[in-house]
Amino acid sequence: MTTNNYDDNSGVSLRQAMTLLRRLTSGRPSNPGRWEVMESHPAGQHSQFSERFLQILWNERHLAPDLRCQDGRSLKVVSPGVWNVGRGPDFSQAALLFDNRLTAGDVEIHRRTSDWNRHGHSQDEAYANVILHVVWDDDGPPPRPGMATLVLQGNLHPAWQKLLWEMEDACYPYCRQVPAGACALRWALSDDARLREILTAAGLARFTAKGIRLARLAAEHGVDQALYETVFECLGYKNNRVPFRRLAEAVDLETLRRLRDDDDRQALLFGTAGLLPDPTCQPVLPAWLETVRNFWDRWWALGATRLELPWDRAMTRPYNSPCRRLAAGFAWLRQTDFAPAAWLRQRSRTAASAKALRQALTLDLPDDSLWRTCRDFGHLIRPPAALLGKSRCLDIMANVFLPYLAAMLELAPSSAEASTAEAERVRQTFLLLPPAQGNRLLTEAAHRFLTPPSRARELLKTCCQQQGLMDIYQNFCLALDHNCELCPFVSAEKNAASD
């Protein structure tokens, strides 16, 4: 942990700090991911920093030397914990001394004490190991007996305001986890147009590699099964990719085709996945009760076995729950009449332009099912939402549909089948896709190569360029364990300098 050298005489009042912050942020648009300051409320509420900024204060340990919790216990921070960039408590594996007694656990940070219940943490098992609740305003009792509360007001180091000049919270926590690489200077000196050329070439290489992978799967399992497994894997996103693929492998497409109707197919998928509740002992919403009983009876009649799949529910948003994603996957299979390869080729052949092909490959799933309002068979979500958002549909198109079509057209035996115009249309569709939703790999890559990392917002204009940045980071930085001495990029720079 970095030790900050503070000037003990550099104290500043809260009012002065707020004035400074307003001066710094005046004229700036309110962008998600940047810290901001809430103005004083007419009703008399205290001015507050954003939750993100409070997390940074905790992470940097800009704390007074003598801390005391609201219950009177003294507090010393041995380790603030590991910043959690996913769902769950803000910091995990913290080590704290309460009255000189060492305690390990998680730390959650909010603006107010009441935010704990407002955010639904009381019913969330992921927060069961929280040992300290760090807040700016203490406006209520502790979330549960024995949990300590630390109020940051009055417990910050006098020179904490120096933090305002040192960093931008959009870089956190990645800027401490992923330092700039040895090639970052070369990236900084290159203009955007040149870098986009490089990233587009790398993105196309990644696009081709994905197509080759799909072609190999198709040769091994058949084209329909390969698409089925890969789409389901994509539906799992980062937390549930493995269980979705295992489910698609266990309940193969040929088995689904042989069943008598869609109720049997859904019963088999949900039952085998372990996502079908037992209505005799588990909560089921009234709207689902008849359906669940029907599925349960059918699943038992099919004689199927439940798989022990490692579903990650704690780190998955309610709108992306395994049940909703499985319902989306089945809706897509039904839309293709359980023949995804033929469905894809028909849409590709009939599209007259890249724009038309993108529209044809955008998943248009039924929007009137119960799943719009449900997380699973026993819980509602609000507000209602489509089974798949636009960003997930774009990801499936970029990572599955278009690479598959490109590979199949490349490998087709006859010129009539492998239409040059159709292949170029597929390629252009990929090149014109807008930027996709960000992910951890993309954020780490931006911090490795770009100075400042916020340059990515202006540099990455297409999904292809995003894919290119991730491809370079994955195949060089990660493959070489961030050892810049072994990297061809850095070696080429050194050779050019010596020449």
Side-chain angles (χ1 to χ4, degrees):
M1 175 58 64
T2 303
T3 300
N4 293 289
N5 297 316
Y6 293 111
D7 178 1
D8 290 333
N9 298 318
S10 62
V12 62
S13 70
L14 179 61
R15 184 181 297 278
Q16 290 172 320
M18 300 299 283
T19 302
L20 173 62
L21 278 165
R22 280 195 287 270
R23 208 176 281 163
L24 287 171
T25 56
S26 62
R28 294 181 182 176
S30 179
N31 293 326
R34 297 185 61 88
W35 55 262
E36 57 184 15
V37 178
M38 307 273 302
E39 299 288 349
S40 297
H41 193 275
Q45 290 180 346
H46 294 292
S47 299
Q48 297 176 11
F49 302 106
S50 71
E51 190 172 292
R52 188 71 166 167
F53 190 72
L54 299 181
Q55 291 170 349
I56 295 166
L57 288 173
W58 174 260
N59 188 63
E60 291 297 305
R61 297 174 70 169
H62 288 268
L63 306 170
D66 298 316
L67 300 174
R68 194 159 295 276
C69 300
Q70 291 298 90
D71 59 8
R73 286 182 290 172
S74 65
L75 171 66
K76 290 185 179 179
V77 180
V78 179
S79 169
V82 178
W83 196 325
N84 173 27
V85 296
R87 186 179 171 277
D90 295 318
F91 293 84
S92 61
Q93 304 172 39
L96 309 174
L97 286 170
F98 294 105
D99 286 341
N100 291 320
R101 183 174 180 178
L102 183 63
T103 306
D106 301 333
V107 175
E108 178 67 7
I109 297 179
H110 287 126
R111 292 175 178 175
R112 306 176 184 89
T113 307
S114 58
D115 287 342
W116 179 278
N117 290 325
R118 186 159 37 247
H119 294 176
H121 298 335
S122 297
Q123 292 78 39
D124 194 334
E125 293 183 359
Y127 293 81
N129 198 38
V130 172
I131 57 173
L132 178 66
H133 193 203
V134 179
V135 301
W136 185 259
D137 286 327
D138 185 26
D139 64 347
R144 63 170 178 262
M147 183 192 295
T149 300
L150 175 68
V151 179
L152 286 179
Q153 286 194 81
N155 277 309
L156 294 177
H157 194 284
W160 65 268
Q161 80 277 9
K162 288 184 178 180
L163 181 65
L164 304 179
W165 304 98
E166 294 175 356
M167 42 75 71
E168 172 184 344
D169 82 323
C171 298
Y172 265 77
Y174 297 99
C175 63
R176 296 303 170 97
Q177 296 175 357
V178 186
C183 61
L185 178 60
R186 175 61 59 190
W187 286 73
L189 296 175
S190 301
D191 61 71
D192 286 355
R194 175 57 182 153
L195 289 181
R196 289 191 190 109
E197 289 180 12
I198 296 171
L199 294 175
T200 298
L204 285 171
R206 187 179 179 89
F207 176 74
T208 301
K210 288 178 183 289
I212 292 172
R213 173 177 175 263
L214 275 163
R216 287 173 177 165
L217 283 173
E220 186 176 353
H221 303 294
V223 289
D224 286 333
Q225 181 66 23
L227 283 169
Y228 167 41
E229 291 179 13
T230 310
V231 168
F232 267 50
E233 183 181 43
C234 201
L235 287 171
Y237 199 39
K238 60 180 179 181
N239 296 325
N240 286 310
R241 296 176 72 90
V242 171
F244 264 108
R245 174 169 282 280
R246 286 180 56 190
L247 177 63
E249 291 170 346
V251 184
D252 60 77
L253 201 54
E254 191 56 40
T255 298
L256 291 175
R257 287 170 178 157
R258 287 198 302 265
L259 296 177
R260 59 180 175 173
D261 57 29
D262 284 345
D263 280 359
D264 269 4
R265 296 180 181 109
Q266 291 184 86
L268 182 60
L269 284 168
F270 279 99
T272 305
L275 299 176
L276 188 62
D278 182 349
T280 65
C281 59
Q282 292 176 287
V284 177
L285 292 169
W288 279 116
L289 192 55
E290 184 178 346
T291 298
V292 169
R293 286 172 176 165
N294 178 39
F295 284 177
W296 190 263
D297 291 341
R298 287 170 178 259
W299 182 57
W300 275 105
L302 291 168
T305 302
R306 172 178 170 171
L307 296 178
E308 295 300 324
L309 297 176
W311 297 111
D312 186 343
R313 293 179 176 87
M315 301 299 289
T316 303
R317 295 175 180 175
Y319 290 100
N320 300 334
S321 70
C323 279
R324 282 175 54 85
R325 285 297 169 87
L326 181 52
F330 180 77
W332 168 71
L333 285 174
R334 186 167 50 189
Q335 191 178 79
T336 69
D337 199 22
F338 302 92
W343 176 82
L344 267 180
R345 286 308 313 276
Q346 186 273 334
R347 295 193 169 213
S348 176
R349 287 193 187 103
T350 56
S353 64
K355 183 178 179 180
L357 180 57
R358 177 184 167 187
Q359 182 62 38
L361 296 183
T362 300
L363 295 180
D364 186 20
L365 302 181
D367 206 31
D368 57 353
S369 72
L370 283 173
W371 287 115
R372 279 186 54 79
T373 59
C374 298
R375 183 182 77 193
D376 50 37
F377 293 105
H379 299 87
L380 294 170
I381 52 171
R382 290 188 177 87
L387 279 174
L388 283 182
K390 293 181 179 179
S391 61
R392 181 53 38 189
C393 291
L394 178 64
D395 283 341
I396 294 174
M397 191 187 309
N399 293 299
V400 185
F401 292 164
L402 292 173
Y404 166 80
L405 286 171
M408 290 300 104
L409 288 166
E410 179 70 23
L411 296 173
S414 66
S415 58
E417 180 73 13
S419 164
T420 303
E422 186 181 353
E424 180 59 22
R425 189 160 56 245
V426 169
R427 181 176 177 275
Q428 286 300 317
T429 302
F430 176 68
L431 287 171
L432 295 174
L433 288 179
Q437 186 176 15
N439 56 45
R440 180 168 186 164
L441 188 68
L442 183 64
T443 304
E444 288 183 4
H447 283 84
R448 189 67 173 169
F449 299 131
L450 304 179
T451 308
S454 57
R455 186 185 180 189
R457 290 195 290 267
E458 291 299 319
L459 179 64
L460 305 177
K461 296 296 186 182
T462 66
C463 178
C464 180
Q465 290 160 6
Q466 288 180 321
Q467 295 273 339
L469 189 68
M470 290 188 288
D471 191 72
I472 294 171
Y473 180 64
Q474 207 164 29
N475 289 326
F476 291 92
C477 299
L478 294 185
L480 296 172
D481 294 324
H482 294 287
N483 189 339
C484 293
E485 293 298 319
L486 301 178
C487 181
F489 279 3
V490 179
S491 300
E493 266 187 55
K494 287 182 177 179
N495 292 337
S498 62
D499 291 345

